[in-house]
Amino acid sequence: MPHATASQTPAELPVEELDWIQMRKDFSGVHAETTKEKMARKINENPLVPIGCAATLTALGLGLWNFRKGRSQMSQYMMRARILAQGFTVIALIIGVGMTYGTKEPATKK
């Protein structure tokens, strides 16, 4: 796609190059969600996922700490707990996606 030069007038510019201007006008009143707002919304929608992530990280940390201290039996126990916590997190994700999918409105044809 050739780019417009400084000598071209607005009437000579191809329409494709002006699409972003129209899009900016269309979405000027739309609030862009920040990362913090998105995370808070996701946590409110499915609070079990962060709980599962925290449990996974806790079990992993304790397992590695026990491994370093030479407590192999406790380390193995914590690694098994980590697997259970990961499974819980995956199940919570699947349930959350299912619930979100079930509550979305079907798209209407124009």
Side-chain angles (χ1 to χ4, degrees):
M1 179 186 310
H3 290 286
T5 61
S7 63
Q8 285 181 322
T9 63
E12 296 172 352
L13 290 174
V15 174
E16 296 85 25
E17 291 192 24
L18 298 176
D19 283 345
W20 66 272
I21 295 172
Q22 182 61 39
M23 193 165 91
R24 180 175 276 175
K25 287 178 186 175
D26 291 344
F27 292 107
S28 64
V30 176
H31 169 69
E33 190 175 40
T34 65
T35 305
K36 195 176 204 180
E37 291 170 341
K38 184 174 183 177
M39 182 175 277
R41 179 176 53 83
K42 294 285 186 180
I43 289 171
N44 287 334
E45 287 175 2
N46 193 356
L48 295 178
V49 173
I51 292 169
C53 289
T56 301
L57 284 174
T58 301
L60 177 64
L62 288 173
L64 291 173
W65 184 73
N66 282 306
F67 180 74
R68 184 170 181 201
K69 293 292 183 180
R71 301 180 197 136
S72 62
Q73 188 161 356
M74 185 60 156
S75 176
Q76 285 293 316
Y77 175 75
M78 293 312 296
M79 288 300 119
R80 290 182 184 125
R82 176 188 59 87
I83 297 294
L84 290 173
Q86 282 179 315
F88 173 81
T89 305
V90 169
I91 290 170
L93 275 168
I94 292 169
I95 290 171
V97 167
M99 287 174 48
T100 302
Y101 182 74
T103 58
K104 289 202 177 195
E105 296 176 10
T108 58
K109 293 183 180 180
K110 290 183 180 181

